[in-house]
Every structure is written in structure tokens, then in C-alpha cells.
């Protein structure tokens, strides 16, 4: 049996190498052909220009270039698979054929019409994730193929060597899963095709047009699932969907860098990424306060009034008030006047006029186009008035657009208050919320500003996409979510965790409201894979999160060290407890605290203050909870963990999020009385 498996691996590797050689030759030929065509075009440019061949030549060059890009993409994927061609096998017996041995890997390997490996995204491979041994089926060409899985086998292949394999009835053997999860953290998120679980697979393979909201506990693989779903859609809809058609709204640039290798590992190009704050900045041409800076302010000098205001701005009640204000009191101040235009005058003084009465404009604005946003009403009326001139042949069609723009300016002049900042300030005053004009827009207000701008004027830029991925859903407000609906009419997957919100408390009711508002189906992921069971248990008890499932991966309990010298204690932990780890994070509550810690560490620890994406490659990082969110580390150390520093719900949330970044070990350090949130842990005085 083992010899047969080794032979199959060697044969597959030979095929991969043949394909690699063939593609390399093809790429070389394409490069030569492209250069020949380019030089030919340069030499005969004027002759081409005189004839009809110039456009054809450019088209030909473009086609050659596209072939080269696609071939290089295939080459990258084959080289990646050359290390480990497949990770699983199922034997599938149908009533009409002999048993099929289906080897499953990152991509399909086919040579001389023989299938050596099938892509994990193919319909037949879906059975590996969905079924145990016994009856199974898959959909192919809208037909169901039924049969029986007689074998499920998992492989550990590294550097072209078959290290081991297991026969199992599960999607993935627990021992293999624990071994994979026990690995050290890497500086980039990894693909998880060999460990996708049944509940994760169900989300990945949902239909393209299904809107999905994934609520998952920390470490449940939410972001990985969203990215693997993108890879699945790119495979299934490869004729109509490209990587550039999928947009990811990321929390920050460090997180974007962290996830940047997942799609390339799966053989796909990276997706388009941006942040919502960047979109608002682009539209309003004003800087936006960083989320990290907003949380810094709260962590250092928050009062109850600020927290109450954030809670209100994070509610659907606030969104409702904003929309009612825009569509009611603000819109009602639109005051049209009669417009009169003399288009012809005879020698006798008789005038031919076009008149748009105040009543006519009012009826169009408040009745005919009542259901539209303000800018849409203006556009429709301006178009209609411009058409009157065009139809009476006083303006031709080429002049119509300029005339429409003139009418738009006139119609906007009937609005006494139309400055976005003024409207914002009036609304805030009506809501009895503190506000003053500043150069930088506060983080919590970015969605409100954009909503006002969109309602009054529409947007200047096109942010269209064919599929949308929104990460860290809990960090957005309902006003932000409202703008997502306005910006993108495409399907989307939204992932997040209501328990991982620092500045506010979100409920299951909020989750359901969001799903209903967006027309999403909710998927709940209650199994955590990241942290050891000891770390995950502590974190979930802290937040009173129940019904969480754990991978039975052992590790030491989190521990509190009380010491007179925190810098020295951290250095000792790194040297004695974490020396073999690649990524250790010292996570502080805020930047002020992180800078204070750096002073304590100087002379004891070689560290990097994490500010840029490339910083994550270093072994020891000092960072904040807000920056570290979404990333994982081998070990996490939380300093200043005393009663005064961590005493309220906001600070409890920080402990929870910081703790759930740890894969293997979690430590708390304090030189005072430990926080009450750590009462369940052992305190060791050093």
C-alpha cells in the first residue's frame, strides 16, 4: 500500500515537472513573439497607420501579453504544488462505473487526458469536505451524481516526500489538525484547503448571489473562509469574474499585508483592497481619524458621555434619525422659484418664452420624484428641463449636457443650506451631540459625512465591484453599513464577531438587525481553531461566551506575573518561555502605554514597534490591541495588567481581543494588584 502511494506521488511529480518545463518554453516563446511583433510595429508604424492593420497589431500584442500573464500564473501555481501536489484522496464508487481514485490538491493536474489531481474547488472534491464514508453525491452540469465513498485518506507531503497518510471517516483527522494548528505563526496568513471543515465548506461553496453574514468566535477562520470563498468563485465563474472584480474592505494596511499571500497560494491573483476610511477620504477630500487613534483616545481619557455617544452612533436608531432628517426637514427647505427664458423676440416686441413655474418645479421635486435622493431629484428635473429646449430645437443634443449642468446649478441655488459640513453640524445639534468643525473627520462620523454627501450630491468616484468582502463587520456602524448598500449593489460576504468590538457592546439582536437590513443569511461559527484550549477557555469565560467548541489542543494555562520590574520580566519570558517562537507580541492598551513600555524594555529586549506591514516579520513586536486585531502570534504578553488599568467593559474587551491573538502561550504582567478580569488565573510573584 505504501509503495503504491509513493509511486503515485512520484508519477504526479514527474507530470508536474513536465508541465513546468512545457510552460516555461511556452512563456519564452511568447516573450520572443511579443518582442518580434513590437519591433515589427515600430519599423512599419507609418505603413500600418495608413492601412487598417494598426488596431489589429495592437490587439495581437495584447493577446500575446495576456497569454503570457496566464501562463506565468499557471507556472506559479505548479511550482507551489510541486512541493505538495495533493493533501487528500477519496475513492468514489458509482453504480455505473468502477471506483474512482480522486486525489485532491490546490489545483488540477491533468496530463495526456489523465487526471492526476483535482482542484479542491471542483464539484467532485466537495464530497471530501461534506461526507463521511458511505453514500455521497455531487452536482455536475446541473445533475446529481450519486454513489458511495469507500475510502477517505489524508496525506502529509512536504518537500516532495510522503511523510505519512491516514485513513479516516472525518473531513480531517484530529491528529493532523492539531499538528497543523501547533505550528508557529507565520508573517502571512496561510491557505487552509487541507483543513477546511464541513461548516466552513458550506459557506465557501454558497452560490455567488447569496448575501452572507458570518458571525464567528475568535479563531474560527472567518477571514480565511471569506478569502477561500473568493478563490472558489474565481474558479467557478472564471469566464465572468476576475480577481480585480472582487473588493475587500480591510481594517488597516497591516491586516491587508497579513492576508496578501492567501490568494496567490491558491493560484489566484490578489483582490482589490481598500478601507472604508480611504473611500470617505477620497470622496470628501478630508483626512479621516484612524480607528487606532480613536481607540487610543478612549483608552486614555474616555468618559461615560463619550461612550454613550459612541453607543448611540452605533445604533440603527441613529441611522433612522439621520435618514429622517435628510429626507424630511433638510429636503423641505428646498424653495424653488419660477424660471423664465426668452427664446425668441419679434421686431414687434412679441416674445416666445419657456417658463418653468415654481409650482411645476415643486411638484416634480416633492411629488413626482419623491422617492429619490436629493441629487437624483435634481438630476431628473434638470434633464427634463433641458429636454424641453432640445425638443423645441433651441439646443442640439451635443449641447444638452451643458444645459443640464446649468439647470442643476440653478436648482441647487434653491437650497439655502447645502454645504456638507453645515448640514452635519445642524444634524448633530438636533441630536444634542457634541460637535465642532475640525480639519480631520472623527472616525465615528465618517459614515455620517459620506451619507450626507451622497444624499445631496451623489459620489464623484466609481467604487463598483462584482463581489464584496467586508471584514471586521463589528467595527462598522449602521450608517457605514447603509452606505455599503448605496455603494455596492453586488453580492457580498460579511464576516465578524460581535464579541470583538472594543468601544461598544453588540448583541445578537444587533446581528439579526444587520442581517435583515442587508438581506443576508447568518452563518454561525462556534468552533475555535487558533488558540490552545486553555487560552480559548479563559477568553470565552471572560466574555461569558457560551456553546463554544474547541480543538483539543493542549497548552499551558495563561498566567499572571506580579513583578517589580516588568521590562526585566518580559525579557525573561521571551528568553525562557518563548525562545523557539517566531512571532511574539507584547500587546498594550493604547499607543501611550506602548511608548511607556518601550522605555521599560530598552536594554532588556530587542523589539520593533509595529507600525508598518513589514514590521510583522520581526520576532518581538510591541503593538496595541487595535493594530493587532485580526492577526495571530505564537505568544502574547499583556503588560500593565493591573486593577486600575483594566477595570471597565471597554478594557475587558481589550483583554479579550488581545488574548485571542495568542496561538500557544499567554502571559499577563503587572507590578500592582492584578485586574479583576484575571481572577480566574494563577498569580505568580516574581
Amino acid at each position: 500500500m505504501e509503495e503504491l502511494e509513493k509511486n503515485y506521488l512520484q508519477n504526479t511529480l514527474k507530470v508536474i515537472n513536465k508541465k513546468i518545463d512545457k510552460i516555461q518554453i511556452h512563456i519564452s516563446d511568447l516573450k520572443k513573439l511579443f518582442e518580434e511583433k513590437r519591433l515589427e510595429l515600430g519599423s512599419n508604424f507609418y505603413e500600418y497607420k495608413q492601412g487598417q492593420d494598426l488596431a489589429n497589431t495592437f490587439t495581437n500584442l495584447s493577446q500575446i501579453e495576456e497569454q503570457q500573464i496566464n501562463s506565468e500564473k499557471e507556472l506559479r501555481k505548479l511550482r507551489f504544488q510541486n512541493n505538495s501536489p495533493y493533501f487528500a484522496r477519496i475513492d468514489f464508487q458509482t453504480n455505473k462505473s468502477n471506483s474512482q481514485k480522486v486525489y485532491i490538491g490546490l489545483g488540477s493536474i491533468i496530463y495526456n487526458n489523465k487526471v492526476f489531481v483535482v482542484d479542491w474547488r471542483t464539484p467532485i472534491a466537495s464530497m471530501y469536505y461534506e461526507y463521511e464514508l458511505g453514500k455521497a453525491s455531487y452536482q455536475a452540469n446541473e445533475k446529481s451524481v450519486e454513489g458511495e465513498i469507500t475510502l477517505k485518506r489524508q496525506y502529509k507531503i512536504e518537500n516532495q516526500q510522503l511523510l505519512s497518510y491516514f485513513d479516516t471517516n472525518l473531513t480531517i483527522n484530529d491528529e493532523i489538525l492539531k499538528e497543523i494548528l501547533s505550528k508557529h505563526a507565520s508573517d502571512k496568513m496561510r491557505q487552509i484547503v487541507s483543513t477546511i471543515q464541513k461548516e466552513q465548506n458550506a459557506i465557501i461553496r454558497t452560490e455567488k448571489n447569496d448575501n452572507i453574514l458570518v458571525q464567528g468566535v475568535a479563531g474560527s477562520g472567518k477571514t480565511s473562509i471569506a478569502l477561500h470563498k473568493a478563490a472558489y468563485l474565481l474558479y467557478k465563474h472564471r469566464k465572468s469574474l476576475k480577481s480585480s472584480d472582487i473588493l475587500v474592505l480591510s481594517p488597516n494596511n497591516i491586516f491587508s499585508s497579513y492576508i496578501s499571500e492567501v490568494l496567490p497560494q491558491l493560484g489566484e491573483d490578489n483582490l482589490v483592497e481598500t478601507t472604508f476610511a480611504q473611500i470617505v477620504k477620497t470622496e470628501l477630500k478630508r483626512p479621516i481619524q484612524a480607528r487606532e487613534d480613536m481607540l487610543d483616545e478612549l483608552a486614555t481619557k474616555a468618559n461615560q458621555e463619550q461612550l454613550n455617544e459612541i453607543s448611540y452612533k452605533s445604533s440603527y436608531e441613529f441611522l433612522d434619525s439621520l435618514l429622517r432628517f435628510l429626507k424630511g426637514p433638510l429636503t423641505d427647505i428646498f424653495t424653488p422659484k419660477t424660471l423664465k427664458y426668452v427664446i425668441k423676440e419679434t421686431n414687434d416686441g412679441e416674445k416666445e418664452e419657456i417658463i418653468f413655474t415654481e409650482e411645476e418645479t415643486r411638484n416634480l421635486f416633492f411629488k413626482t420624484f419623491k422617492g429619490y435622493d436629493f441629487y437624483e431629484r435634481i438630476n431628473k428635473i434638470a434633464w427634463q428641463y433641458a429636454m424641453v429646449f432640445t425638443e423645441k430645437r433651441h439646443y442640439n443634443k451635443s449641447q444638452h449636457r451643458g444645459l443640464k449642468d446649468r439647470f442643476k446649478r440653478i436648482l441647487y441655488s434653491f437650497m439655502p443650506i447645502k454645504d456638507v459640513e453645515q448640514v452635519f453640524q445642524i444634524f448633530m445639534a438636533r441630536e444634542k451631540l457634541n460637535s465642532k468643525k475640525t480639519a480631520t473627520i472623527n472616525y465615528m462620523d465618517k459614515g455620517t459625512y459620506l451619507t450626507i454627501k451622497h444624499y445631496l450630491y451623489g459620489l464623484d468616484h466609481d467604487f463598483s465591484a462584482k463581489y464584496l468582502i467586508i471584514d471586521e463587520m463589528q467595527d462598522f456602524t449602521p450608517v457605514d453599513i447603509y452606505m455599503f448598500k448605496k455603494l455596492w449593489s453586488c453580492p457580498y460576504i460579511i464576516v465578524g464577531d460581535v464579541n470583538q468590538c472594543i468601544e461598544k457592546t453588540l448583541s445578537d439582536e444587533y446581528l439579526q438587525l444587520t442581517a435583515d437590513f442587508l438581506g443576508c443569511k447568518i452563518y454561525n461559527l462556534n468552533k475555535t481553531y487558533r488558540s490552545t484550549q486553555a487560552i480559548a477557555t479563559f477568553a470565552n469565560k471572560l466574555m461569558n461566551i457560551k456553546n463554544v467548541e474547541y480543538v483539543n489542543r493542549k497548552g499551558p494555562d495563561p498566567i499572571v506575573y506580579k513583578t517589580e520590574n516588568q521590562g526585566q520580566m518580559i525579557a525573561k519570558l521571551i528568553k525562557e518561555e518563548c525562545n523557539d517562537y517566531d512571532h511574539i507580541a507584547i500587546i498594550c492598551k493604547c499607543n501611550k502605554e506602548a511608548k511607556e513600555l518601550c522605555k521599560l524594555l530598552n536594554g532588556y529586549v530587542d523589539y520593533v514597534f509595529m507600525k508598518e506591514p513589514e514590521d510583522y516579520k520581526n520576532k518581538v513586536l510591541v503593538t496595541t490591541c487595535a493594530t493587532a486585531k485580526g492577526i495571530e502570534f505564537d505568544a502574547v504578553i499583556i503588560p500593565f495588567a493591573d486593577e486600575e488599568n483594566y477595570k471597565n467593559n471597554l478594557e475587558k474587551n481589550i483583554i479579550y481581543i488581545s488574548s485571542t491573538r495568542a496561538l500557544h502561550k499567554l502571559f499577563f504582567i503587572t507590578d500592582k494588584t492584578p485586574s479583576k478580569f484575571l481572577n480566574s488565573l494563577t498569580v505568580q510573584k516574581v
Side-chain angles (χ1 to χ4, degrees), residues 565-571 574 586 594-609 620 622 640:
N565 190 325
Q566 295 194 65
Q568 194 172 12
M569 185 68 227
I570 290 171
I574 291 171
I586 309 168
K595 290 172 183 176
E596 183 181 340
L597 176 72
C598 289
K599 294 176 183 177
L600 298 179
L601 294 178
N602 287 335
Y604 292 111
V605 178
D606 185 13
Y607 67 89
V608 170
F609 197 139
V620 181
V622 173
F640 307 113

Side-chain angles (χ1 to χ4, degrees), residues 23-44:
I23 289 177
Q24 285 177 324
I25 292 170
H26 183 56
I27 291 172
S28 178
D29 290 343
L30 287 171
K31 287 180 177 178
K32 289 177 183 176
L33 180 61
F34 183 87
E35 187 61 19
E36 288 172 5
K37 293 289 184 182
R38 188 184 69 82
L39 292 173
E40 183 182 330
L41 174 63
S43 301
N44 303 299

Side-chain angles (χ1 to χ4, degrees), residues 337-341 354-357 385 407 410-411 414:
K337 298 176 182 177
T338 296
L339 300 174
K340 183 184 295 186
Y341 300 93
I354 293 178
I355 300 173
F356 305 115
T357 66
Y385 285 179
F407 272 118
I410 292 167
L411 291 167
F414 298 153

